[in-house]
């Protein structure tokens, strides 16, 4: 019974190594429809071909988070099968939209390792890149995870801690070829608020909520071929299946339509924390805060740096307790750049 | 926190106003597959391209109720966000089938308003039209809802109550271009009963039942981008999420295959009542009654006016109590025209 | 109320009769996406068009089990509506892959009947064939079921018991046109194990598990237009909805990726037993045993005859008790041929 893989442990990662992840995936119209069934997604550019074409694109791309989930899912068997915790994200850049019919492959370069002082685990940093069938980069991002050691007696590697940007500079954002918001139809998109209407520091309560069901988060997680046991197997985790953190990201992003209907294309992921685990029965709500604003060279296209917070208690504004830790009602704290008509 | 919309209240509707609904939607093969996963749909014309082509159509259209749900979903933020009750439907006409790849947009004209005597709410009538990307009408129907007033002290508008047909006349039914049932394959369709075999007054017990699950009705409702809170958020409605009334319509219609396998294309909606709320755990069953019959000018194509009743107690025949109200076991009472091989 | 069918009873089957099953179905990209959402399917040939093309195929076919489920679903109204038990499968041969856009029709020839000694039921053998729109055979297999008699007093037919192969000979396996594993990319497929690495008698514990949800098995079963009441209607079966046996097959096959990632194409079904009923809440796990090995004439393509056992107790190796009956933790015992790079 040695045909199944046990996954990598901390001592299996060497800085500089490039891991080619398995099982390429072709995504088409079926995945688009499922995304709309699993999340209350309404951003017009991802809902309508003619709307996307009026914005200068050849057709409506698949949701930017589909790219993220799919690439992330590919990395699970190699990066997070023995992970104790998903610690953070940085420098996430969406370079090319994902079109129906595209095939995603993914690879990760190990860019940092640091053994923990307890000697039982360590932190591994990887820069993961997802590519389409033309070898164009769809998305790249840095993720770091805490991974168990197979053998606590194994010697600690020389620590390498990568220098990571706290946030992408506006000039680092890739604007999809052809994107043009000068003829943007705000009425058809659902809200009148343009880039100029958002102020740094402004908070938006997205009001709506969705109570999570087991069947839904499992279908989503499987769709991205993320097969981490904790999401599926109640015998492995009798206290309750853990909802894939990306399910919370997509749910919160979709809920943010109500107040951010014109925040169309996600182009940067500055950071993110899965503050607390989410389980079926939790009701996900979301609020946002405008962190920064920038113009882009594309016609009519501005960028907003947004903080997106998902909660299970519906509270808006407070995320941390006096001890500096996340409050138990907070599920997600995400920092991203999004393109908005000016 | 003023970026989110509170929806319209009774005093926000003026007769003659046309509301252009937001978020166009392109529908393709993914939505077709999901429809077959969510409902036990088996009508051959919507299941098989060659079967549809043998009936004179270019290919198999998306289910007629997909058009209805999608158009209805578009109207929710503008028409029913503050609705207390969905009161009725009339004059629903399917004009053009929905083909995979089509993009739906929707608008509604306010055709009636009448304040209630309590001064706290009123009834609003709208005629909603869904169109494809060629600006052809897919479907139009009248719906009326009871809506709360924002300000009870606001003056009552002059009442306008539209005159509505009790049922569409057969001559008002639009027959899809090319439809021809002269070579109809009854064996392949699943039942031998043709138009001539149905008698006015005849009742059919469709026998089968489906017990509703939360994940399924939420996926369906999201797919139509209907984001009314009551369907999704248990903190908003702790007594149980309300199942979208259209989910019951599609479930009952699909169940009606057993006895009405040849009732292929829905072309008219004469009226309908969501008699009682439906919740997860209810077992939906259905029965039908033949209300009227008509010939059409299309070769081999007849029309049946059908009553479709969905229940949660499986009882057939009785719908109203001695008080004239719907019995608690009745979920839906629908009156529609459907095309059947003669 | 005579429009609905009661299904066939034992005395309605005559050896030699060919039953043409109703409701053809066109399958496309939506069904592919749903398969990936419902099962943790990761075999690369069914996940990626470029991977399939590198194996000599025109594109990625739909999963072989989609063909099986869809054909099986078509037979339910004619074969198993009044079945007491699904007794076995034999001589299953996948002849032509199922491509997106194909339309499936199915028919069954009655090849055996034998009344039970109790006089109340009998066994019926049918050879079912699924075909595409070009009348090419996709799949054919023998199934036998125990069916109730309508009238216990009806005379017993002359018994006809077909001779069935215990297992397909390697020469009986149809290799898809063009299949060539000489350039197979094991890294991209997810595991290094090739045909030569598997030994007859070897067992593989597939480790992962999925706890079954009601919404998921119902969506899967509806997708195949299998509308047997027991899977959907809690009022019909208050002790719990029975999970469609094919759902367990697909779940176990998908779980077998972990250890059998290169077991790409299923080409033969030698036999199978649904050992015990499966219900929502059960956690499906799987293990495999190598039963036989064979070379094929296709370049780089070997065949493995595998036993796939699905359990709900996670136990590996034991399937039968001292009484010769299946242990209660066993759900499925399947015997199939699969194509693997040599």
């Amino acid at each position: 019974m040695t045909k199944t893989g046990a996954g990598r442990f901390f001592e299996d990662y060497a800085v500089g190594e490039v891991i080619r992840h398995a099982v390429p995936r072709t995504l088409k119209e079926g995945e688009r429809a499922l995304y709309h069934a699993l999340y209350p997604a309404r951003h017009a550019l991802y809902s309508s071909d003619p709307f996307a074409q009026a914005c200068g694109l050849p057709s409506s791309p698949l949701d930017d988070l589909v790219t993220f989930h799919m690439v992330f899912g590919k990395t699970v068997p190699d990066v997070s099968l023995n992970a104790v915790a998903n610690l953070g994200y940085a420098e996430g850049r969406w370079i090319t939209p994902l079109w129906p019919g595209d095939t995603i492959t993914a690879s990760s370069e190990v860019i940092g390792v640091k053994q923990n002082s307890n000697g039982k685990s360590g932190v591994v940093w990887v820069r993961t890149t997802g590519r389409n069938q033309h070898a164009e980069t769809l998305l790249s991002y840095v993720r770091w995870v805490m991974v168990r050691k197979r053998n606590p007696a194994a010697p600690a590697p020389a620590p390498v801690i990568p220098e990571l940007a706290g946030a992408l500079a506006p000039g680092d954002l890739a604007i999809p070829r052809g994107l043009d918001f000068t003829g943007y139809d705000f009425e058809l998109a659902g809200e009148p608020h343009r880039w100029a209407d958002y102020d740094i520091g402004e908070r938006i309560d997205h009001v709506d909520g969705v109570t999570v069901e087991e069947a839904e988060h499992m279908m989503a997680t499987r769709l991205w071929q993320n097969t981490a046991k904790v999401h599926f197997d109640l015998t492995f985790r009798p206290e309750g299946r853990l909802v894939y953190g990306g399910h919370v990201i997509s749910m919160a992003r979709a809920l943010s339509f109500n107040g951010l209907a014109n925040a169309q294309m996600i182009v940067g992921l500055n950071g993110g924390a899965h503050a607390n685990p989410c389980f079926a029965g939790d009701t996900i709500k979301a609020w946002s805060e405008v962190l920064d604003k920038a113009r882009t060279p594309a016609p009519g296209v501005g960028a907003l740096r947004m903080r997106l917070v998902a909660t299970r208690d519906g509270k808006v504004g407070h995320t941390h307790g006096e001890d500096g830790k996340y409050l138990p009602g907070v599920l997600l704290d995400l920092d991203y750049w999004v393109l908005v008509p000016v």
Side-chain angles (χ1 to χ4, degrees), chain A residues 35-52:
Chain A
Y35 198 83
H36 279 95
L38 292 164
Y39 307 108
R42 287 191 284 163
H43 286 92
L45 200 144
Y46 300 88
S47 178
S48 161
D49 281 340
F51 192 95

Side-chain angles (χ1 to χ4, degrees), chain A residues 15 90-91 109-114 123-127 142-144 159-165:
Chain A
V15 171
E91 299 185 359
E109 181 182 354
V110 181
I111 60 168
V113 290
K114 181 177 180 300
V123 177
V124 177
W125 285 259
V126 294
R127 187 180 298 274
V142 173
R143 177 161 77 116
W144 55 107
V160 177
I161 301 176
E163 262 184 63
L164 298 171

Side-chain angles (χ1 to χ4, degrees), chain A residues 103-152:
Chain A
T103 300
I104 294 184
T105 54
S107 62
S108 295
E109 181 182 354
V110 181
I111 60 168
V113 290
K114 181 177 180 300
Q115 184 166 311
N116 287 329
S117 54
N118 65 14
K120 293 181 182 164
S121 57
V123 177
V124 177
W125 285 259
V126 294
R127 187 180 298 274
T128 297
T129 304
R131 291 183 180 83
N132 64 19
Q133 68 279 16
H134 309 300
E136 297 167 327
T137 297
L138 297 163
L139 166 69
S140 79
Y141 65 94
V142 173
R143 177 161 77 116
W144 55 107
V145 292
M146 192 184 302
V147 184
R148 276 181 288 138
K149 289 179 77 175
R150 182 187 291 106
N151 172 14

Side-chain angles (χ1 to χ4, degrees), chain A residues 257-314:
Chain A
F257 177 90
N258 199 344
L260 284 171
N262 299 315
Q264 294 284 359
M265 303 193 86
I266 297 180
V267 288
L269 176 63
N270 300 308
H274 298 288
N276 282 287
C278 178
F279 299 97
D282 286 348
T283 297
I284 300 177
K285 297 193 176 184
W287 59 273
S288 293
E289 182 176 349
V290 183
L291 296 179
D292 202 357
K293 300 180 63 168
R295 294 192 168 273
T296 84
V301 179
L304 292 177
R305 184 181 160 202
M306 301 295 306
R307 183 184 182 198
L308 173 62
V309 177
T311 72
R312 63 170 155 225
D313 59 11

